[in-house]
Amino acid sequence: MADFTIGSVPINEIEVGMKASYSQTITDADIKAFAGISGDHNPVHVDSEYASVSRFGKRIAHGLMSAGFFS
C-alpha cells in the first residue's frame, strides 16, 4: 500500500488538534486569467477605478477563484 502524505505529514500521523495553514498571493495576471477563462469580467475584479468607489475600496479577487484554493 502506498504511503499518503498531506503536506509533509504522513496521513497515519495526523491527529486531532493539528493545524495547517496555506497562503497564496493573487496577482493581476491571475485575476485577468481567471476573468478570461470564467467569462466574469465584473469591473470590481478588473477595473481599479471602478473598484475604488465600490464598497471594497479596491479590486478584489473572484469568489470562485478564492474557493478553488480550498479544494
Side-chain angles (χ1 to χ4, degrees):
M1 179 174 198
D3 292 329
F4 293 102
T5 61
I6 298 177
S8 61
V9 179
I11 200 163
N12 62 337
E13 294 180 19
I14 296 174
E15 298 177 8
V16 173
M18 293 177 88
K19 296 180 180 182
S21 64
Y22 174 82
S23 66
Q24 176 73 39
T25 300
I26 299 172
T27 66
D28 181 59
D30 295 329
I31 298 294
K32 288 177 181 174
F34 191 84
I37 201 164
S38 69
D40 182 353
H41 297 277
N42 184 322
V44 77
H45 305 305
V46 297
D47 184 333
S48 295
E49 187 174 329
Y50 176 90
S52 71
V53 295
S54 73
R55 66 181 179 161
F56 304 105
K58 61 183 178 180
R59 289 173 48 199
I60 59 171
H62 299 77
L64 287 178
M65 179 185 203
S66 302
F69 293 117
F70 290 103
S71 64

